[in-house]
């Protein structure tokens, strides 16, 4: 076996040769569903493991229902193996100890483990530009769900999620070793099926038209990545011997907040007018960063994630306008995202938007 350090390597077909069976933990909605669809498109036999409570199974998969927090269910899952690889897409809300138990249960029945992590694991996120190899947050491999919670009255950034995910990464690496572990760290993932509500909110806002509060610097670079591109890359590395760690974002400098919002207007046919309000005004008005105006954040490093090792290893990112267009088509074709509590936090109330525009000097 060898560790991938970012080299281009052989063709996709060459890398996939020999991989026939893959286990996807999750597999019914957004990223998990995109992973399953990509694996099936490559002719792989796909087993999914989930509770069966969110989304629907993709036709053509073998579904094993169970709870990853249950030792009995994990033992039953392991007995259904072996697989060439496991791709874990459903650990975002699981503490490290749960990921550790699952990895240990599967270690003997799968060759390698692909863990979908996040750039939030970095100690410098979101204040500093980041690259693979930078320091990570603390987080033991056996941490429970209470580890890393911010104390009452804490006024700094929320470190809980990053600590939990950093611990989960360590759980995988300690169990499978670096030579059998692929750790993928996406930033913001957008695309058809998105449940968080970032892109769907902007699309509906663009459709409504009128005076649209556009946040911050229109030329500020942003790096959202399409869910289908993350899925393609995850299945790709799952077929490779060895292991590695990659950030997974769109290239720095390719897209801007202006090009993103203009694309939302184009695909929806909205007649709205973008009114750019400086960061300082938004901060004075107490606008919640990252949620009230989705994708807007003033921290220096939030959109400065170096994913060059992933590009060298085969990650390809489609144009952002394609993501915007396809998500709009998905939304307007009778589809609804899986209900998730995070969606309710996204978007600004119309009356508050109008008040902020007035404070910024836009009076219609």
């Amino acid at each position: 076996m060898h560790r991938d350090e970012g080299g281009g390597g052989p063709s996709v077909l060459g890398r996939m040769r020999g991989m026939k069976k893959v286990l996807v933990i999750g597999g019914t909605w957004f990223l998990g569903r995109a992973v399953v669809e990509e694996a099936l498109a490559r002719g792989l036999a796909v087993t999914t493991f989930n509770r069966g409570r969110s989304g629907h199974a993709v036709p053509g998969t073998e579904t094993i229902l169970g709870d990853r927090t249950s030792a009995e269910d994990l033992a039953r899952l392991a007995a259904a193996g072996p697989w060439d690889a496991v791709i874990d897409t459903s650990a975002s809300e699981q503490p490290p100890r749960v990921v550790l138990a699952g990895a240990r249960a599967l270690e003997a029945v799968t060759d390698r483990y692909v863990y979908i992590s996040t750039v939030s694991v970095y100690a410098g996120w979101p204040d500093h530009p980041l690259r693979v190899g930078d320091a990570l947050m603390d987080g033991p491999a056996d941490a429970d769900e209470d580890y890393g919670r911010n104390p009452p009255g804490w006024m700094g950034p929320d470190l809980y999620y990053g600590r939990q995910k950093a611990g989960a990464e360590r759980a995988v690496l300690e169990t499978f070793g670096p030579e059998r572990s692929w750790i993928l760290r996406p930033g913001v993932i957008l695309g058809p099926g998105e449940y968080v509500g970032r892109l769907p909110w902007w699309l509906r806002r663009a459709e409504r038209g009128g005076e649209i509060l556009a946040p911050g610097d229109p030329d500020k670079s942003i790096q959202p990545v399409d869910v289908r591109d993350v899925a393609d890359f995850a299945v790709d590395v799952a077929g490779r011997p060895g292991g590695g760690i990659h950030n997974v974002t769109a290239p720095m400098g390719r897209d801007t907040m202006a090009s993103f919002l203009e694309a939302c207007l184009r695909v929806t046919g909205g007649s709205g007018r973008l009114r750019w309000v400086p960061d300082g005004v938004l901060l004075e008005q107490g606008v919640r960063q990252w949620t009230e105006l989705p994708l807007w954040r003033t921290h220096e490093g939030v959109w400065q994630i170096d994913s060059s090792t992933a590009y060298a290893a085969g990650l390809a990112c489609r144009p952002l306008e394609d993501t915007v267009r396809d998500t709009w088509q998905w939304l307007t074709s009778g589809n609804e995202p899986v209900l998730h509590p995070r969606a309710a936090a996204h978007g600004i109330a119309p009356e508050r938007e109008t008040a902020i525009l007035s404070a910024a000097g836009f009076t219609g």
Side-chain angles (χ1 to χ4, degrees):
M1 293 188 177
H2 69 280
R3 182 179 175 86
D4 187 301
E5 297 295 347
S11 67
V12 170
L13 289 178
R15 291 194 298 264
M16 297 299 293
R17 188 175 299 124
M19 186 167 84
K20 298 179 180 179
K21 298 177 62 179
V22 63
L23 168 66
V24 178
I25 303 180
T28 59
W29 52 312
F30 200 40
L31 177 58
R33 191 173 191 87
V35 167
V36 169
E37 290 172 346
E38 178 62 30
L40 289 172
R42 297 191 189 198
L44 300 175
V46 180
T47 302
T48 61
F49 176 68
N50 53 67
R51 295 176 299 175
R53 298 177 184 175
S54 301
H56 303 283
V58 179
T61 61
E62 176 189 3
T63 299
I64 298 176
L65 295 179
D67 190 330
R68 62 186 299 161
T69 66
S70 164
E72 180 180 343
D73 287 356
L74 288 175
R76 181 166 49 84
L77 173 64
W83 298 275
D84 298 303
V86 55
I87 303 177
D88 189 349
T89 70
S90 73
S92 63
E93 298 175 4
Q94 299 295 341
R97 64 179 177 82
V98 171
V99 178
L100 180 63
R104 287 174 172 172
L106 295 171
E107 190 274 331
V109 293
T110 187
D111 289 340
R112 46 200 168 270
Y113 200 114
V114 181
Y115 179 67
I116 310 298
S117 185
T118 170
V119 296
S120 296
V121 298
Y122 288 109
W125 166 262
D127 296 311
H128 304 287
L130 298 171
R131 63 177 60 235
V132 172
D134 286 349
L136 304 182
M137 289 192 177
D138 60 331
D142 60 351
D144 63 17
E145 58 274 13
D146 292 323
Y147 182 85
R149 291 194 186 278
N150 298 318
W154 174 257
M155 299 300 291
D158 183 4
L159 306 180
Y160 173 72
Y161 180 65
R163 286 169 169 168
Q164 290 275 309
K165 294 288 276 189
E169 284 190 8
R170 294 184 177 103
V172 172
L173 288 164
E174 288 182 11
T175 305
F176 279 79
E179 71 283 354
R180 297 170 60 202
S181 304
W182 290 99
I183 307 296
L184 304 186
R185 296 171 180 156
V188 172
I189 304 176
L190 303 179
E194 183 204 332
Y195 62 87
V196 175
R198 296 183 177 109
L199 177 50
W201 186 85
W202 276 117
L203 286 166
R204 293 300 186 188
R205 179 63 192 90
E207 178 191 29
R208 196 166 76 241
E211 304 281 308
I212 299 175
L213 171 53
D217 180 359
D219 295 324
K220 185 169 185 176
S221 172
I222 62 174
Q223 295 178 270
V225 64
D226 191 289
V227 63
R228 295 161 295 184
D229 297 332
V230 180
D232 178 84
F233 189 55
V235 177
D236 198 5
V237 299
R240 306 182 195 184
I245 299 173
H246 297 293
N247 297 331
V248 184
T249 66
M252 283 186 285
R254 189 192 70 174
D255 305 304
T256 65
M257 199 67 184
S259 66
F260 168 67
L261 294 183
E262 289 163 0
C264 289
L265 285 169
R266 279 194 298 273
V267 304
T268 61
S271 58
R273 294 172 299 280
L274 299 175
R275 301 304 194 191
W276 293 94
V277 176
D279 291 338
V281 175
L282 298 176
L283 293 173
E284 289 173 0
Q285 294 293 320
V287 177
R288 295 190 307 275
Q289 297 191 50
W290 212 232
T291 54
E292 205 167 7
L293 291 172
L295 305 187
W296 171 68
R297 202 165 187 173
T298 60
H299 302 74
E300 179 185 357
V302 69
W303 298 119
Q304 295 189 54
I305 308 299
D306 180 359
S307 295
S308 57
T309 66
Y311 309 144
L315 171 66
C317 296
R318 71 194 67 203
L320 181 55
E321 181 147 359
D322 290 359
T323 303
V324 173
R325 181 196 63 238
D326 294 347
T327 303
W328 180 241
Q329 291 179 349
W330 182 84
L331 280 173
T332 55
S333 298
N335 296 296
E336 290 291 339
V338 172
L339 294 177
H340 195 280
R342 291 176 65 187
H346 289 83
I348 191 167
E351 60 276 12
R352 179 157 160 74
E353 180 182 20
T354 299
I356 293 172
L357 285 170
S358 179
F362 297 107
T363 57

PDB file of all heavy atoms in Angstrom, residues 314-335:
ATOM      1  N   GLY A 314      -7.258  14.684  -8.401  1.00  0.00           N
ATOM      2  CA  GLY A 314      -8.380  14.406  -9.291  1.00  0.00           C
ATOM      3  C   GLY A 314      -9.669  15.131  -9.019  1.00  0.00           C
ATOM      4  O   GLY A 314     -10.633  14.959  -9.773  1.00  0.00           O
ATOM      5  N   LEU A 315      -9.758  15.944  -7.955  1.00  0.00           N
ATOM      6  CA  LEU A 315     -10.992  16.697  -7.706  1.00  0.00           C
ATOM      7  C   LEU A 315     -11.230  17.686  -8.844  1.00  0.00           C
ATOM      8  O   LEU A 315     -10.347  18.462  -9.198  1.00  0.00           O
ATOM      9  CB  LEU A 315     -10.895  17.464  -6.385  1.00  0.00           C
ATOM     10  CG  LEU A 315     -12.029  18.464  -6.097  1.00  0.00           C
ATOM     11  CD1 LEU A 315     -13.359  17.734  -5.916  1.00  0.00           C
ATOM     12  CD2 LEU A 315     -11.704  19.314  -4.867  1.00  0.00           C
ATOM     13  N   ALA A 316     -12.432  17.660  -9.401  1.00  0.00           N
ATOM     14  CA  ALA A 316     -12.834  18.613 -10.435  1.00  0.00           C
ATOM     15  C   ALA A 316     -14.089  19.325  -9.955  1.00  0.00           C
ATOM     16  O   ALA A 316     -15.049  18.677  -9.518  1.00  0.00           O
ATOM     17  CB  ALA A 316     -13.101  17.897 -11.752  1.00  0.00           C
ATOM     18  N   CYS A 317     -14.081  20.655 -10.022  1.00  0.00           N
ATOM     19  CA  CYS A 317     -15.202  21.456  -9.528  1.00  0.00           C
ATOM     20  C   CYS A 317     -15.917  22.122 -10.696  1.00  0.00           C
ATOM     21  O   CYS A 317     -15.323  22.932 -11.411  1.00  0.00           O
ATOM     22  CB  CYS A 317     -14.708  22.515  -8.545  1.00  0.00           C
ATOM     23  SG  CYS A 317     -13.988  21.830  -7.045  1.00  0.00           S
ATOM     24  N   ARG A 318     -17.172  21.788 -10.881  1.00  0.00           N
ATOM     25  CA  ARG A 318     -17.971  22.367 -11.962  1.00  0.00           C
ATOM     26  C   ARG A 318     -18.214  23.848 -11.701  1.00  0.00           C
ATOM     27  O   ARG A 318     -18.089  24.319 -10.559  1.00  0.00           O
ATOM     28  CB  ARG A 318     -19.287  21.613 -12.108  1.00  0.00           C
ATOM     29  CG  ARG A 318     -20.279  21.846 -10.991  1.00  0.00           C
ATOM     30  CD  ARG A 318     -21.394  20.817 -11.044  1.00  0.00           C
ATOM     31  NE  ARG A 318     -20.872  19.490 -10.731  1.00  0.00           N
ATOM     32  CZ  ARG A 318     -21.455  18.350 -11.117  1.00  0.00           C
ATOM     33  NH1 ARG A 318     -22.573  18.372 -11.828  1.00  0.00           N
ATOM     34  NH2 ARG A 318     -20.925  17.188 -10.801  1.00  0.00           N
ATOM     35  N   PRO A 319     -18.578  24.622 -12.732  1.00  0.00           N
ATOM     36  CA  PRO A 319     -18.869  26.041 -12.529  1.00  0.00           C
ATOM     37  C   PRO A 319     -19.971  26.239 -11.489  1.00  0.00           C
ATOM     38  O   PRO A 319     -20.944  25.488 -11.444  1.00  0.00           O
ATOM     39  CB  PRO A 319     -19.326  26.507 -13.920  1.00  0.00           C
ATOM     40  CG  PRO A 319     -18.683  25.551 -14.870  1.00  0.00           C
ATOM     41  CD  PRO A 319     -18.668  24.227 -14.156  1.00  0.00           C
ATOM     42  N   LEU A 320     -19.818  27.274 -10.672  1.00  0.00           N
ATOM     43  CA  LEU A 320     -20.808  27.551  -9.640  1.00  0.00           C
ATOM     44  C   LEU A 320     -22.183  27.821 -10.241  1.00  0.00           C
ATOM     45  O   LEU A 320     -23.209  27.451  -9.659  1.00  0.00           O
ATOM     46  CB  LEU A 320     -20.358  28.741  -8.789  1.00  0.00           C
ATOM     47  CG  LEU A 320     -21.267  29.155  -7.633  1.00  0.00           C
ATOM     48  CD1 LEU A 320     -21.549  27.995  -6.686  1.00  0.00           C
ATOM     49  CD2 LEU A 320     -20.654  30.327  -6.866  1.00  0.00           C
ATOM     50  N   GLU A 321     -22.239  28.437 -11.409  1.00  0.00           N
ATOM     51  CA  GLU A 321     -23.534  28.706 -12.030  1.00  0.00           C
ATOM     52  C   GLU A 321     -24.273  27.405 -12.342  1.00  0.00           C
ATOM     53  O   GLU A 321     -25.502  27.349 -12.272  1.00  0.00           O
ATOM     54  CB  GLU A 321     -23.387  29.536 -13.302  1.00  0.00           C
ATOM     55  CG  GLU A 321     -24.721  29.844 -13.950  1.00  0.00           C
ATOM     56  CD  GLU A 321     -24.777  31.185 -14.645  1.00  0.00           C
ATOM     57  OE1 GLU A 321     -23.785  31.920 -14.627  1.00  0.00           O
ATOM     58  OE2 GLU A 321     -25.842  31.489 -15.211  1.00  0.00           O
ATOM     59  N   ASP A 322     -23.539  26.338 -12.666  1.00  0.00           N
ATOM     60  CA  ASP A 322     -24.179  25.043 -12.898  1.00  0.00           C
ATOM     61  C   ASP A 322     -24.839  24.538 -11.613  1.00  0.00           C
ATOM     62  O   ASP A 322     -25.944  23.989 -11.640  1.00  0.00           O
ATOM     63  CB  ASP A 322     -23.164  24.022 -13.393  1.00  0.00           C
ATOM     64  CG  ASP A 322     -22.679  24.293 -14.809  1.00  0.00           C
ATOM     65  OD1 ASP A 322     -23.149  25.272 -15.421  1.00  0.00           O
ATOM     66  OD2 ASP A 322     -21.824  23.534 -15.292  1.00  0.00           O
ATOM     67  N   THR A 323     -24.154  24.718 -10.495  1.00  0.00           N
ATOM     68  CA  THR A 323     -24.715  24.318  -9.209  1.00  0.00           C
ATOM     69  C   THR A 323     -25.980  25.105  -8.910  1.00  0.00           C
ATOM     70  O   THR A 323     -27.003  24.545  -8.486  1.00  0.00           O
ATOM     71  CB  THR A 323     -23.689  24.544  -8.087  1.00  0.00           C
ATOM     72  OG1 THR A 323     -22.486  23.828  -8.387  1.00  0.00           O
ATOM     73  CG2 THR A 323     -24.229  24.087  -6.746  1.00  0.00           C
ATOM     74  N   VAL A 324     -25.928  26.414  -9.135  1.00  0.00           N
ATOM     75  CA  VAL A 324     -27.079  27.282  -8.886  1.00  0.00           C
ATOM     76  C   VAL A 324     -28.247  26.871  -9.782  1.00  0.00           C
ATOM     77  O   VAL A 324     -29.386  26.718  -9.319  1.00  0.00           O
ATOM     78  CB  VAL A 324     -26.693  28.755  -9.115  1.00  0.00           C
ATOM     79  CG1 VAL A 324     -27.922  29.656  -9.033  1.00  0.00           C
ATOM     80  CG2 VAL A 324     -25.647  29.196  -8.096  1.00  0.00           C
ATOM     81  N   ARG A 325     -27.987  26.691 -11.069  1.00  0.00           N
ATOM     82  CA  ARG A 325     -29.047  26.331 -12.018  1.00  0.00           C
ATOM     83  C   ARG A 325     -29.673  24.988 -11.682  1.00  0.00           C
ATOM     84  O   ARG A 325     -30.901  24.839 -11.666  1.00  0.00           O
ATOM     85  CB  ARG A 325     -28.460  26.287 -13.435  1.00  0.00           C
ATOM     86  CG  ARG A 325     -29.506  25.950 -14.526  1.00  0.00           C
ATOM     87  CD  ARG A 325     -28.827  25.537 -15.810  1.00  0.00           C
ATOM     88  NE  ARG A 325     -28.047  24.325 -15.650  1.00  0.00           N
ATOM     89  CZ  ARG A 325     -26.739  24.226 -15.900  1.00  0.00           C
ATOM     90  NH1 ARG A 325     -26.048  25.281 -16.313  1.00  0.00           N
ATOM     91  NH2 ARG A 325     -26.108  23.078 -15.717  1.00  0.00           N
ATOM     92  N   ASP A 326     -28.842  23.988 -11.399  1.00  0.00           N
ATOM     93  CA  ASP A 326     -29.370  22.645 -11.141  1.00  0.00           C
ATOM     94  C   ASP A 326     -30.138  22.590  -9.823  1.00  0.00           C
ATOM     95  O   ASP A 326     -31.120  21.839  -9.692  1.00  0.00           O
ATOM     96  CB  ASP A 326     -28.228  21.629 -11.130  1.00  0.00           C
ATOM     97  CG  ASP A 326     -27.572  21.476 -12.496  1.00  0.00           C
ATOM     98  OD1 ASP A 326     -28.142  21.960 -13.494  1.00  0.00           O
ATOM     99  OD2 ASP A 326     -26.468  20.880 -12.559  1.00  0.00           O
ATOM    100  N   THR A 327     -29.714  23.383  -8.849  1.00  0.00           N
ATOM    101  CA  THR A 327     -30.453  23.427  -7.586  1.00  0.00           C
ATOM    102  C   THR A 327     -31.815  24.074  -7.784  1.00  0.00           C
ATOM    103  O   THR A 327     -32.822  23.629  -7.228  1.00  0.00           O
ATOM    104  CB  THR A 327     -29.643  24.178  -6.515  1.00  0.00           C
ATOM    105  OG1 THR A 327     -28.369  23.549  -6.359  1.00  0.00           O
ATOM    106  CG2 THR A 327     -30.380  24.192  -5.185  1.00  0.00           C
ATOM    107  N   TRP A 328     -31.861  25.121  -8.599  1.00  0.00           N
ATOM    108  CA  TRP A 328     -33.141  25.766  -8.895  1.00  0.00           C
ATOM    109  C   TRP A 328     -34.065  24.809  -9.635  1.00  0.00           C
ATOM    110  O   TRP A 328     -35.270  24.723  -9.322  1.00  0.00           O
ATOM    111  CB  TRP A 328     -32.912  27.032  -9.714  1.00  0.00           C
ATOM    112  CG  TRP A 328     -34.173  27.767 -10.064  1.00  0.00           C
ATOM    113  CD1 TRP A 328     -34.663  28.023 -11.310  1.00  0.00           C
ATOM    114  CD2 TRP A 328     -35.113  28.356  -9.152  1.00  0.00           C
ATOM    115  NE1 TRP A 328     -35.836  28.732 -11.234  1.00  0.00           N
ATOM    116  CE2 TRP A 328     -36.137  28.951  -9.916  1.00  0.00           C
ATOM    117  CE3 TRP A 328     -35.169  28.443  -7.755  1.00  0.00           C
ATOM    118  CZ2 TRP A 328     -37.217  29.614  -9.339  1.00  0.00           C
ATOM    119  CZ3 TRP A 328     -36.248  29.103  -7.181  1.00  0.00           C
ATOM    120  CH2 TRP A 328     -37.249  29.681  -7.975  1.00  0.00           C
ATOM    121  N   GLN A 329     -33.548  24.066 -10.582  1.00  0.00           N
ATOM    122  CA  GLN A 329     -34.362  23.080 -11.292  1.00  0.00           C
ATOM    123  C   GLN A 329     -34.877  22.025 -10.331  1.00  0.00           C
ATOM    124  O   GLN A 329     -36.036  21.604 -10.418  1.00  0.00           O
ATOM    125  CB  GLN A 329     -33.539  22.451 -12.415  1.00  0.00           C
ATOM    126  CG  GLN A 329     -33.222  23.386 -13.556  1.00  0.00           C
ATOM    127  CD  GLN A 329     -32.375  22.736 -14.641  1.00  0.00           C
ATOM    128  OE1 GLN A 329     -31.847  21.624 -14.464  1.00  0.00           O
ATOM    129  NE2 GLN A 329     -32.222  23.412 -15.767  1.00  0.00           N
ATOM    130  N   TRP A 330     -34.045  21.624  -9.404  1.00  0.00           N
ATOM    131  CA  TRP A 330     -34.456  20.626  -8.411  1.00  0.00           C
ATOM    132  C   TRP A 330     -35.567  21.190  -7.519  1.00  0.00           C
ATOM    133  O   TRP A 330     -36.567  20.522  -7.255  1.00  0.00           O
ATOM    134  CB  TRP A 330     -33.238  20.223  -7.581  1.00  0.00           C
ATOM    135  CG  TRP A 330     -33.521  19.166  -6.568  1.00  0.00           C
ATOM    136  CD1 TRP A 330     -33.540  17.814  -6.755  1.00  0.00           C
ATOM    137  CD2 TRP A 330     -33.829  19.375  -5.183  1.00  0.00           C
ATOM    138  NE1 TRP A 330     -33.844  17.167  -5.593  1.00  0.00           N
ATOM    139  CE2 TRP A 330     -34.025  18.103  -4.616  1.00  0.00           C
ATOM    140  CE3 TRP A 330     -33.953  20.500  -4.390  1.00  0.00           C
ATOM    141  CZ2 TRP A 330     -34.340  17.937  -3.275  1.00  0.00           C
ATOM    142  CZ3 TRP A 330     -34.268  20.343  -3.041  1.00  0.00           C
ATOM    143  CH2 TRP A 330     -34.460  19.064  -2.509  1.00  0.00           C
ATOM    144  N   LEU A 331     -35.397  22.443  -7.077  1.00  0.00           N
ATOM    145  CA  LEU A 331     -36.389  23.055  -6.197  1.00  0.00           C
ATOM    146  C   LEU A 331     -37.736  23.254  -6.884  1.00  0.00           C
ATOM    147  O   LEU A 331     -38.784  23.165  -6.249  1.00  0.00           O
ATOM    148  CB  LEU A 331     -35.878  24.410  -5.699  1.00  0.00           C
ATOM    149  CG  LEU A 331     -34.888  24.425  -4.543  1.00  0.00           C
ATOM    150  CD1 LEU A 331     -34.372  25.842  -4.321  1.00  0.00           C
ATOM    151  CD2 LEU A 331     -35.513  23.877  -3.275  1.00  0.00           C
ATOM    152  N   THR A 332     -37.704  23.547  -8.169  1.00  0.00           N
ATOM    153  CA  THR A 332     -38.938  23.874  -8.895  1.00  0.00           C
ATOM    154  C   THR A 332     -39.534  22.661  -9.597  1.00  0.00           C
ATOM    155  O   THR A 332     -40.445  22.812 -10.415  1.00  0.00           O
ATOM    156  CB  THR A 332     -38.676  24.993  -9.910  1.00  0.00           C
ATOM    157  OG1 THR A 332     -37.595  24.622 -10.776  1.00  0.00           O
ATOM    158  CG2 THR A 332     -38.340  26.289  -9.198  1.00  0.00           C
ATOM    159  N   SER A 333     -39.041  21.485  -9.274  1.00  0.00           N
ATOM    160  CA  SER A 333     -39.575  20.257  -9.871  1.00  0.00           C
ATOM    161  C   SER A 333     -40.344  19.430  -8.862  1.00  0.00           C
ATOM    162  O   SER A 333     -40.475  18.213  -9.000  1.00  0.00           O
ATOM    163  CB  SER A 333     -38.427  19.416 -10.460  1.00  0.00           C
ATOM    164  OG  SER A 333     -37.773  20.118 -11.499  1.00  0.00           O
ATOM    165  N   GLY A 334     -40.855  20.106  -7.834  1.00  0.00           N
ATOM    166  CA  GLY A 334     -41.675  19.411  -6.846  1.00  0.00           C
ATOM    167  C   GLY A 334     -40.892  18.750  -5.732  1.00  0.00           C
ATOM    168  O   GLY A 334     -41.471  18.009  -4.924  1.00  0.00           O
ATOM    169  N   ASN A 335     -39.583  18.990  -5.672  1.00  0.00           N
ATOM    170  CA  ASN A 335     -38.768  18.372  -4.631  1.00  0.00           C
ATOM    171  C   ASN A 335     -38.722  19.267  -3.400  1.00  0.00           C
ATOM    172  O   ASN A 335     -38.815  20.488  -3.491  1.00  0.00           O
ATOM    173  CB  ASN A 335     -37.346  18.149  -5.139  1.00  0.00           C
ATOM    174  CG  ASN A 335     -37.304  17.168  -6.289  1.00  0.00           C
ATOM    175  OD1 ASN A 335     -37.637  16.010  -6.133  1.00  0.00           O
ATOM    176  ND2 ASN A 335     -36.889  17.648  -7.458  1.00  0.00           N
TER     177      ASN A 335
END
